[in-house]
């Protein structure tokens, strides 16, 4: 499964994650608050309120909650449209209460921000804009149309017009700002969650491929001797036939070795995963393994491995982690996708660091996206020119995000630049004008011989059945 085929959750699908019981609980809290505010306003502050109409509005919310509780199961999850109706109902009920209790002269008018924030956080863009637009319209209407607050002695509580306008402006600005902020943050969280899920799928896929390679190597390694013994014993039996008692031991040996082959096959998966020889490999071998799927795509791939100085000429053996292989493979794929004809993969090492640089002769990274490379879903739409030039490419920045995330998990540091940039220092004085990416590790992080996670050398442990 390639990164472009990994299923991602849209905002609309994520709205289905909201349980009806959650919204019911929030509505009970709002109902309790509304009843408390009405009682306090009448008993303590002696306001004359149309209590019959107020409690009628609250009763509608109570009846709606009771119907939802008895009609639907507690674990019901609402659709996008159902969530929209629930939030819109709460907004209208609140605005009606504000109309009965002074409009914008009521300090609780700020509570209209609640439905707006909820819709921006959990609904799609169209629904959030509808809720926000409705809130602004209703708040604007409350400036002119509302019932005044009156004390029991007949005194009307009215704010100066300038304060009423100020309240309206503050609420409208808060609706716009908090709505946009909540939607943006929620969108970022959704995108990151989707991208991390895709990363886990990619890593799981690479781990399976690595384990499969271990299975194959384990078969060749473990079955070599018993199969050779079976072949020798079979050859002798074919010559001597079955009347020779001195071949009895060979027959027993054939049986034992056949049983051993069966046992190895049964536990081959576990043996492959624990094969010491597959947990580490020379740096050049890992690069070749990562580049192999892109060798025959019509582009020339040049792999070069060299020390940074003469003090350490022995090529390092590095950990053969799925994160490293898949991350480097994604970077090579990106270079191959964009290159005109050539991709260069260069690796250097010294006592302290191991560095891999991947460059190509393409157009380079878009200058306006250079600072955002590694973010998921950077590209939403492709230009018509780009579709014609590379119709097979469907990238959205997810591949680079996966590569960056996986490689940073192993302790790497990534830097991106364009060869055409005169101020870049990844490949100074280069004639390569395309994209450049540098992946650098502290050597102790991935050195398989002397690093923090060094792999012990020697024979594999005998399989225990």
């Amino acid at each position: 499964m390639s990164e472009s085929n990994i299923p991602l959750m849209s905002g609309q699908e994520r709205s289905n994650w909201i349980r009806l019981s959650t919204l019911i609980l929030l509505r009970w809290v709002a109902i309790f608050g509304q009843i408390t505010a009405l009682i306090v306003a009448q008993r303590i502050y002696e306001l004359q309120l149309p209590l019959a109409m107020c409690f009628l509005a609250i009763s509608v919310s109570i009846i709606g909650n009771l119907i939802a509780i008895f009609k639907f199961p507690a674990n019901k999850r609402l659709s996008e449209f159902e969530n929209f109706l629930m939030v819109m109902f709460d907004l209208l009920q609140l605005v009606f209460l504000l109309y009965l209790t002074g409009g914008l002269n009521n300090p609780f008018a700020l509570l209209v921000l609640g439905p707006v924030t909820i819709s921006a956080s959990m609904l799609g863009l169209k629904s959030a804009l509808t809720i926000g637009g409705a809130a602004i319209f209703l708040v604007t209407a409350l400036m002119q149309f509302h019932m005044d607050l009156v004390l029991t002695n007949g005194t009307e509580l009215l704010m100066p017009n300038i304060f009423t306008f100020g309240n309206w402006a503050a609420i409208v600005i808060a609706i716009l700002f908090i709505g946009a902020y909540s939607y943006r943050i929620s969108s970022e969280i959704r995108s990151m969650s989707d991208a991390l899920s895709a990363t886990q799928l990619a890593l799981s896929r690479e781990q399976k491929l690595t384990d499969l390679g271990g299975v194959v190597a384990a078969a060749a390694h473990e079955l070599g001797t018993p199969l050779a013994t079976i072949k020798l014993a079979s050859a002798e039996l074919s010559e001597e036939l079955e009347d020779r008692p001195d071949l009895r031991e060979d027959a027993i040996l054939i049986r034992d070795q056949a049983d051993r082959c069966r046992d190895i096959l049964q536990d081959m998966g576990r043996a492959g995963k624990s094969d010491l020889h597959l947990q580490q490999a020379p740096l050049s071998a890992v690069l070749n393994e990562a580049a192999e799927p892109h060798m025959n795509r019509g582009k020339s791939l040049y792999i070069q491995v060299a020390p940074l100085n003469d003090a350490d000429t022995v090529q390092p053996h590095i950990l053969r982690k799925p994160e490293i292989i898949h991350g480097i493979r994604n970077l090579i794929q990106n270079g191959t996708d964009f290159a005109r004809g050539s991709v260069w993969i260069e690796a250097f090492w010294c006592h302290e660091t191991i560095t891999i640089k991947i460059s190509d002769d393409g157009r380079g990274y878009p200058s306006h996206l250079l600072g955002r490379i590694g973010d998921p879903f950077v590209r939403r739409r492709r230009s018509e020119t780009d579709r014609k030039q590379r119709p097979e490419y469907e990238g959205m920045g997810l591949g680079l995000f996966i590569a960056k995330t996986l490689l940073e998990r192993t302790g790497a540091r990534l830097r991106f630049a364009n060869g055409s940039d005169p101020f870049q220092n990844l490949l100074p004085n280069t004639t390569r004008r395309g994209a450049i990416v540098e992946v650098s590790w502290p050597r102790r992080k991935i050195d398989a011989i002397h690093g923090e996670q060094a792999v012990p050398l020697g024979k594999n442990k005998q399989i225990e059945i």
Side-chain angles (χ1 to χ4, degrees):
M1 179 185 292
S2 65
E3 286 76 28
S4 61
N5 293 328
I6 293 175
L8 302 174
M9 299 292 292
S10 67
Q12 183 169 349
E13 290 170 329
R14 285 181 179 274
S15 69
N16 297 341
W17 293 3
I18 307 299
R19 290 185 303 172
L20 176 61
S21 59
T22 301
L23 296 181
I24 290 176
L25 177 62
L26 292 176
R27 185 177 287 172
W28 281 127
V29 173
I31 290 171
F32 176 79
Q34 291 167 359
I35 295 176
T36 303
L38 289 174
I39 294 175
V40 170
Q42 185 186 37
R43 298 290 179 86
I44 298 179
Y45 295 101
E46 299 181 346
L47 290 174
Q48 291 184 358
L49 300 174
L51 291 181
M53 295 295 293
C54 291
F55 282 110
L56 175 62
I58 295 175
S59 298
V60 173
S61 290
I62 294 175
I63 293 172
N65 260 10
L66 294 176
I67 291 175
I69 290 173
F70 290 108
K71 183 175 178 59
F72 301 103
N75 61 349
K76 175 178 173 57
R77 299 187 183 274
L78 302 178
S79 65
E80 168 87 3
F81 183 66
E82 291 170 337
N83 271 311
F84 170 79
L85 292 179
M86 290 280 289
V87 176
M88 181 62 78
F89 171 82
D90 291 334
L91 175 63
L92 293 174
Q93 189 259 4
L94 176 60
V95 170
F96 181 66
L97 279 177
L98 291 174
Y99 166 78
L100 297 173
T101 56
L104 296 188
N105 295 304
N106 188 333
F108 289 103
L110 271 177
L111 291 177
V112 299
L113 294 176
V116 173
T117 304
I118 292 174
S119 65
S121 300
M122 70 180 187
L123 300 181
L125 180 59
K126 183 178 179 181
S127 298
L129 289 175
T130 303
I131 296 291
I136 293 175
F137 172 79
L138 294 171
V139 168
T140 304
L142 283 176
M143 288 183 64
Q144 300 296 328
F145 306 102
H146 59 268
M147 299 178 65
D148 295 331
L149 293 174
V150 182
L151 296 176
T152 54
N153 60 10
T155 303
E156 292 187 0
L157 300 179
L158 295 175
M159 288 194 302
N161 291 335
I162 189 171
F163 282 96
T164 303
F165 176 79
N167 277 350
W168 173 84
I171 292 174
V172 170
I173 292 173
I175 289 173
L176 294 174
F177 176 77
I178 295 179
Y181 180 81
S182 299
Y183 182 82
R184 182 63 179 174
I185 293 299
S186 177
S187 178
E188 291 284 344
I189 293 174
R190 291 171 182 173
S191 296
M192 186 60 68
S193 177
D194 289 338
L196 289 175
S197 297
T199 302
Q200 290 300 117
L201 288 174
L203 180 58
S204 176
R205 173 181 175 273
E206 192 63 41
Q207 183 67 59
K208 290 179 180 179
L209 293 176
T210 301
D211 293 344
L212 181 60
V215 170
V216 174
H221 180 72
E222 300 289 350
L223 294 180
T225 299
L227 289 177
T229 304
I230 291 174
K231 181 179 179 179
L232 176 61
S234 299
E236 291 181 359
L237 286 175
S238 64
E239 293 178 359
E240 303 295 339
L241 300 178
E242 58 181 12
D243 297 333
R244 300 286 299 274
D246 55 334
L247 294 181
R248 182 174 179 275
E249 293 182 0
D250 289 338
I252 296 174
L253 182 60
I254 291 174
R255 183 194 64 192
D256 293 340
Q257 296 300 327
D259 291 340
R260 184 184 174 193
C261 290
R262 180 202 62 196
D263 295 338
I264 290 174
L265 287 172
Q266 288 177 349
D267 205 56
M268 189 178 292
R270 178 169 56 85
K273 295 176 185 177
S274 61
D275 195 320
L276 298 177
H277 300 280
L278 287 169
Q279 295 180 19
Q280 52 86 25
L283 178 58
S284 59
V286 174
L287 292 181
N288 276 282
E289 181 178 358
E292 191 275 333
H294 309 293
M295 289 290 190
N296 299 315
R297 293 183 53 193
K299 310 289 176 65
S300 299
L301 272 63
Y302 303 97
I303 299 178
Q304 178 183 353
V305 178
L308 282 174
N309 52 58
D310 296 333
D312 189 6
T313 58
V314 179
Q315 181 179 163
H317 284 226
I318 67 172
L319 298 173
R320 191 174 170 274
K321 288 186 173 183
E323 295 96 326
I324 295 176
I325 296 172
H326 192 83
I328 296 298
R329 182 174 294 158
N330 270 15
L331 295 178
I332 295 173
Q333 176 182 350
N334 189 73
T336 307
D337 286 337
F338 285 91
R340 290 187 174 92
S342 300
V343 178
W344 293 269
I345 307 162
E346 301 166 293
F348 311 94
W349 69 87
C350 63
H351 289 300
E352 301 297 330
T353 62
I354 295 176
T355 302
I356 297 173
K357 293 182 180 180
I358 301 171
S359 56
D360 60 70
D361 59 354
R363 292 174 296 171
Y365 300 114
S367 57
H368 66 286
L369 295 178
L370 193 57
R372 296 183 58 197
I373 292 177
D375 290 348
F377 311 112
V378 172
R379 286 193 170 197
R380 296 293 183 182
R381 298 179 179 86
R382 299 174 59 208
S383 65
E384 190 63 30
T385 302
D386 191 39
R387 287 193 182 94
K388 291 179 180 179
Q389 291 179 347
R390 297 188 310 129
E392 77 286 352
Y393 182 72
E394 296 294 339
M396 295 185 298
L398 185 57
L400 283 177
F401 170 83
I402 291 175
K404 186 171 183 290
T405 302
L406 293 179
L407 292 171
E408 287 178 345
R409 181 182 296 182
T410 66
R413 177 174 177 265
L414 280 74
R415 294 198 295 163
F416 301 88
N418 286 324
S420 57
D421 182 0
F423 300 103
Q424 63 87 16
N425 58 2
L426 297 186
L427 285 176
N429 303 320
T430 182
T431 58
R432 305 167 198 170
R433 315 299 290 174
I436 305 171
V437 56
E438 178 187 84
V439 187
S440 181
W441 291 269
R443 183 162 176 169
R444 68 181 186 279
K445 293 290 186 180
I446 61 170
D447 193 312
I449 307 300
H450 305 292
E452 296 174 354
Q453 306 177 54
V455 178
L457 297 179
K459 294 182 178 180
N460 288 318
K461 296 181 179 179
Q462 183 69 31
I463 301 173
E464 298 179 0
I465 307 299

